Amino acid sequence: VSGFVAVVGAGPGDPDLLTLRAVRLLDEADLILYDALVSPDMRRLAPRGRWFFVGKRAGRPGIGQDAIHRLLVRAARRGLRVVRLKGGDPFVFGRGGEEALALAAAGVPFEVVPGVSAAIAAPALAGIPVTHRGLASGFVVVSGHAESAFRPILDSLEPHAATIVVLMGLASRAQLVSVLLARGWAPGTPAAILHAASSPEATAWIGTVGALATATLPEMLSDAPGTIVVGRVVSLANTISAARTVPESRLAAGRGR
Ligand SMILES: C[S@@+](CC[C@H](N)C(=O)[O-])C[C@H]1O[C@@H](n2cnc3c(N)ncnc32)[C@H](O)[C@@H]1O
């Protein structure tokens, strides 16, 4: 038997937001290498597979990207069906591209299964359409990890021309705000911080760019992933999320499934 690797997007957390292809591959997998943002609820979808954690936890470094590449290649060569399960979409700030390149270089058969990215899902679940006729005709997704990563992109953008979605940006909120204000964004521009989207713990802070840096967030959320959204579309959040028929009750019912 020849093994192979599927680099699979797990979506924002709720197993209901996995693709059918992801579910099928999990069902057939011998080995699942997963990251910190992958929901433990997904385990029941891989009844035969062994789960192996390769992410970072509580800020401590993980096993390293090269070690992950070696594990993937070795497992596939041993004939295993491997799922490399990554939060959201594997090619959006997930280093999935590096893993695909390593598999290609090693001659290991692999496929890539896109996932629902938090960049779109976190706003959507809070009632924020990232594009909306008359409010935003595009959206830009940036890494908030370091100012050097987002400043050149935000500097090149006309204020209010697009919705800005920032992943990994909670710690650098203050720099983000000063870059936006310096570029000419109005302090009153609507902004949101969306935590743990699609999980029962999901919360949404809705405010303005001016208040974004100093927003106090519940202590319990300090470890939860958060996405920042800036732009006029955020003004739709209250109306859309208040009018939705399905959400919270269904999330609560999903607990412990
Ligand atoms: C390393 S990036 C990976 C992004 C992922 N590949 C994707 O497409 O969603 C992790 C960041 O995604 C965002 N994120 C992931 N899951 C989230 C969720 N359930 N709710 C809010 N933000 C989330 C946070 O900004 C977090 O810091």
Side-chain angles (χ1 to χ4, degrees), residues 13-16 18 38-46 51 198-200 254-257:
D14 182 349
D16 275 6
L18 283 164
V38 167
S39 158
D41 291 350
M42 292 180 189
R43 281 183 179 248
R44 67 191 164 81
L45 298 170
W51 285 69
S198 87
S199 84
R255 216 190 273 257
R257 264 181 312 175

Side-chain angles (χ1 to χ4, degrees), residues 161-233:
T163 303
I164 297 173
V165 180
V166 187
L167 302 188
M168 300 175 284
L170 291 180
S172 45
R173 274 183 289 154
Q175 293 97 297
L176 177 72
V177 168
S178 61
V179 168
L180 289 173
L181 296 179
R183 182 68 185 86
W185 289 70
T189 307
I193 304 174
L194 312 167
H195 268 103
S198 87
S199 84
E201 289 76 38
T203 63
W205 174 90
I206 308 285
T208 61
V209 167
L212 188 60
T214 51
T216 41
L217 304 169
E219 183 75 35
M220 53 166 287
L221 291 173
S222 57
D223 278 343
T227 291
I228 297 171
V229 186
V230 172
R232 294 183 182 125
V233 289

Side-chain angles (χ1 to χ4, degrees), residues 58-156:
R60 273 180 283 133
I63 68 167
Q65 197 61 35
D66 288 340
I68 293 173
H69 297 169
R70 284 195 295 275
L71 274 174
L72 290 171
V73 170
R74 234 182 269 152
R77 287 193 177 143
R78 274 173 39 217
L80 299 181
R81 286 167 290 195
V82 184
V83 167
R84 173 67 178 108
L85 192 60
K86 307 173 82 73
D89 181 273
F91 282 3
V92 177
F93 303 129
R95 305 192 75 169
E98 289 164 62
E99 294 173 14
L101 285 173
L103 293 164
V108 168
F110 71 96
E111 69 168 294
V112 176
V113 181
V116 178
S117 177
I120 299 169
L125 292 168
I128 301 168
V130 287
T131 70
H132 191 83
R133 194 175 284 262
L135 293 183
S137 54
F139 63 102
V140 175
V141 182
V142 297
S143 162
H145 181 65
E147 190 176 325
S148 57
F150 59 77
R151 178 188 278 282
I153 300 172
L154 299 186
D155 277 350
S156 69

